[in-house]
Amino acid sequence: MQLGRQVEWTIHCCVTLAALPRSEFLSTRELAELYGLPKEYLSKAMQALSRARLLDKAMGPTGGYRLARPDSDINVLDIVEAIEGRAPLFTGTGLGRRSNERSDEGPDCPLNQVMMRADEAWRKVMREVTIKDLRLSAENKGQGS
């Protein structure tokens, strides 16, 4: 499994946005410069988070993005799914049925069951970590803790 770079970028950007006063916005340009990212690609990712209603967007010279909800209400999985989609990482192809192996295709397939358990496990971990958790961890690390 490999998540796209935009997932990492947008999580870092959301942590940065979480530290802002609620009335402030940061532009994609400012975020891209802060992290040394290509503005065009970051812009597409930020738009995906806006469409998923994780970010509010304001137009104009003082516009940009801010979190649409409190940072304690946005988890890492919300961001991953906004960027990568919600489809499971594994979809059986019926390969076992085409070989000499006995294979129960679909939800009863042993391979499918293992892969679905693994899929749920990584989603559970990401669901448990909020942007607030990451923000507080970054703030504590900055204080020498």
Side-chain angles (χ1 to χ4, degrees):
M1 175 183 94
Q2 184 172 358
L3 297 173
R5 285 183 244 160
Q6 291 177 326
V7 170
E8 178 187 4
W9 300 349
T10 54
I11 292 170
H12 281 290
C13 288
C14 284
V15 172
T16 298
L17 294 173
L20 292 177
R22 179 70 182 129
S23 61
E24 290 186 26
F25 292 81
L26 273 180
S27 71
T28 304
R29 180 188 52 77
E30 292 169 308
L31 289 165
E33 287 175 3
L34 178 65
Y35 290 108
L37 301 171
K39 180 182 168 282
E40 298 75 24
Y41 292 114
L42 179 60
S43 180
K44 290 178 184 179
M46 298 300 279
Q47 289 170 17
L49 295 187
S50 180
R51 283 191 302 275
R53 299 185 179 174
L54 299 175
L55 298 179
D56 288 330
K57 183 178 181 178
M59 303 302 280
T62 60
Y65 292 97
R66 69 177 180 199
L67 296 183
R69 311 191 299 249
D71 59 359
S72 59
D73 291 346
I74 300 172
N75 62 53
V76 173
L77 185 61
D78 293 329
I79 296 169
V80 170
E81 290 180 340
I83 301 297
E84 298 285 341
R86 291 192 164 119
L89 295 177
F90 176 80
T91 305
T93 62
L95 186 62
R97 188 173 51 222
R98 290 191 293 261
S99 73
N100 291 330
E101 296 176 22
R102 183 183 178 298
S103 175
D104 305 334
E105 276 307 307
D108 294 330
C109 171
L111 176 58
N112 190 58
Q113 289 175 358
V114 168
M115 297 306 252
M116 290 299 108
R117 282 183 26 227
D119 188 78
E120 182 49 39
W122 76 264
R123 288 176 193 275
K124 180 182 182 290
V125 169
M126 287 197 242
R127 195 178 296 116
E128 292 172 350
V129 178
T130 68
I131 294 302
K132 180 178 182 178
D133 296 331
L134 295 174
R135 177 181 56 80
L136 292 175
S137 179
E139 288 172 2
N140 289 336
K141 192 174 183 179
Q143 295 175 359
S145 297

